[in-house]
């Protein structure tokens, strides 16, 4: 079952279960996907976006929820922070299992070897390979400095 079908099935099930919080989050996911599909159609892609792009949307939604929750906590609005944090596990259900630290390290090494990276100037190519293969499975904000360190040591 592809990602769109899984989201649609989960939405139907949440309606049947009368789970309003889950349903609300699933509808936010559906709205974000439709927005991206509309933008893709404007660019000439009538089929909408592919699963890799959907994973990117979901990863971005998780990141937004974490940032919002932190902001709410700093502002003393724990009720709003809890609401944001409650949405994260629902969104993450549709993301592939994240890589552990060792798997991330191995993926970085493999990408460096694959592109023949020898200096920091090759960082963009290495990150491009990683983003293509591991979208939604690793935190690229944390991986960037790791790649930079590896390339600095190599060069």
């Amino acid at each position: 079952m592809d990602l769109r079908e899984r989201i649609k099935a989960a939405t139907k099930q949440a309606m049947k279960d009368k789970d309003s919080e889950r349903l609300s989050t699933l509808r936010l996911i559906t709205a974000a996907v439709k927005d991206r599909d509309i933008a893709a159609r404007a660019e000439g892609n009538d089929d909408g976006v592919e699963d890799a792009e959907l994973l990117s949307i979901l990863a971005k939604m998780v990141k937004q929820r974490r940032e919002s929750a932190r902001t709410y906590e700093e502002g003393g609005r724990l009720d709003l922070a809890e609401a944001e944090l409650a949405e994260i596990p629902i969104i993450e259900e549709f993301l592939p299992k994240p890589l552990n630290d060792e798997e991330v390290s191995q993926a970085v090494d493999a990408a460096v070897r694959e592109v023949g990276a020898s200096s920091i100037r090759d960082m963009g190519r290495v990150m491009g390979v990683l983003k293509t293969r591991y979208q939604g499975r690793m935190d690229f904000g944390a991986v960037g400095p790791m790649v930079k360190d590896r390339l600095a040591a190599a060069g």
Side-chain angles (χ1 to χ4, degrees), residues 4-44:
R4 288 173 192 268
E5 291 172 8
R6 287 178 43 215
I7 293 168
K8 196 178 291 187
T11 303
K12 287 179 184 178
Q13 189 60 48
M15 284 180 192
K16 288 178 186 175
D17 296 344
K18 296 187 183 352
D19 186 346
S20 61
E21 290 175 15
R22 181 173 171 76
L23 181 60
S24 173
T25 302
L26 292 168
R27 285 183 171 157
L28 287 172
I29 293 170
T30 302
V33 169
K34 284 184 180 179
D35 284 346
R36 193 67 63 93
D37 281 343
I38 290 168
R41 279 191 218 108
E43 296 168 2

Side-chain angles (χ1 to χ4, degrees), residues 125-144:
R125 291 183 19 223
V126 172
M127 291 299 289
V129 168
L130 292 172
K131 286 182 178 181
T132 301
R133 291 204 183 124
Y134 301 103
Q135 187 66 48
R137 297 189 67 199
M138 64 173 65
D139 175 7
F140 294 106
V143 170

Side-chain angles (χ1 to χ4, degrees), residues 90-112:
I90 297 168
I91 298 168
E92 286 179 334
E93 285 177 33
F94 302 100
L95 288 171
K97 183 176 122 340
L99 300 177
N100 63 36
D101 293 341
E102 185 179 323
E103 291 169 328
V104 169
S105 181
Q106 290 172 355
V108 168
D109 289 341
V112 167

Side-chain angles (χ1 to χ4, degrees), residues 28-81:
L28 287 172
I29 293 170
T30 302
V33 169
K34 284 184 180 179
D35 284 346
R36 193 67 63 93
D37 281 343
I38 290 168
R41 279 191 218 108
E43 296 168 2
N45 181 355
D46 292 334
D47 297 333
V49 295
E50 296 182 15
D51 276 2
E53 183 81 12
L54 296 180
L55 293 176
S56 172
I57 293 167
L58 295 174
K60 185 176 179 182
M61 289 179 78
V62 168
K63 183 178 179 185
Q64 288 171 335
R65 301 297 178 288
R66 287 195 175 112
E67 290 170 357
S68 296
R70 191 174 359 204
T71 302
Y72 287 139
E73 286 173 2
E74 291 169 2
R77 296 296 311 265
L78 298 181
D79 56 328
L80 295 175

